[in-house]
Amino acid sequence: MAKMQRPEDAPSAFQAAWNAHDMAALADLFDEGATFVNRFGHYVQGIDEIVALHAPIHETIYRDSTLENELIDVAHIADGAVVIHFWSRLSAGAAHPAGPHAVDTLILAVLTRQNEIWRIRALENVTLTNPRTGEPILRG
């Protein structure tokens, strides 16, 4: 997997690791002390916990899933530190108990630069839902 040379590379790098169902590539995107909050509000810290959160679902319900990510913005907050936002569409396949369907989320991530490589320090994923009904919303 290619290293993130620019913060703008994060959405495509995350997408590529997910779509390959490659946990080593996923791990390589994160800083050792990174935090991750999934779309259900489950908080984990550290690469091992991030991989442990994702490996079982990539072996089962999301084994045939794909992501399509789209960068929204990059905000430089300090030298070697940025906040990015990107849209993410998860397309679950037949392996999911609910069958094929799509879920859109908005991802906020903090990235830091170490030795010219950008890594994710914190990532939070929020499912787009109607606040009155809780029903999922697909954008455009």
Side-chain angles (χ1 to χ4, degrees), residues 15 84 107:
Q15 175 181 309
I84 67 169
I107 294 176

Side-chain angles (χ1 to χ4, degrees), residues 12-42:
S12 62
F14 190 82
Q15 175 181 309
W18 183 284
N19 292 346
H21 307 285
D22 183 340
M23 295 301 100
L26 183 72
D28 199 38
L29 300 176
F30 290 88
D31 177 82
E32 188 60 42
T35 59
F36 190 102
V37 180
N38 74 6
R39 67 189 187 99
F40 302 107
H42 187 144

Side-chain angles (χ1 to χ4, degrees), residues 9-129:
D9 297 335
S12 62
F14 190 82
Q15 175 181 309
W18 183 284
N19 292 346
H21 307 285
D22 183 340
M23 295 301 100
L26 183 72
D28 199 38
L29 300 176
F30 290 88
D31 177 82
E32 188 60 42
T35 59
F36 190 102
V37 180
N38 74 6
R39 67 189 187 99
F40 302 107
H42 187 144
Y43 170 91
V44 295
Q45 184 171 20
I47 292 172
D48 291 343
E49 287 189 26
I50 292 168
V51 169
L53 179 67
H54 288 87
I57 60 176
H58 280 273
E59 293 169 359
T60 58
I61 64 171
Y62 289 145
R63 70 178 177 265
D64 58 353
S65 69
T66 58
L67 279 186
E68 185 177 338
N69 294 336
E70 178 186 342
L71 181 67
I72 299 170
D73 62 21
V74 177
H76 293 268
I77 55 175
D79 185 38
V82 301
V83 172
I84 67 169
H85 293 92
F86 58 98
W87 298 115
S88 186
R89 174 164 288 166
L90 169 68
S91 295
H96 196 282
H101 64 282
V103 176
D104 280 348
T105 64
L106 176 61
I107 294 176
L108 177 149
V110 176
L111 282 72
T112 57
R113 186 178 57 229
Q114 303 162 9
N115 301 321
E116 303 309 311
I117 301 299
W118 289 88
R119 295 200 188 277
I120 299 168
R121 178 66 185 170
L123 185 147
E124 184 167 352
N125 197 5
V126 177
T127 303
L128 303 181
T129 61

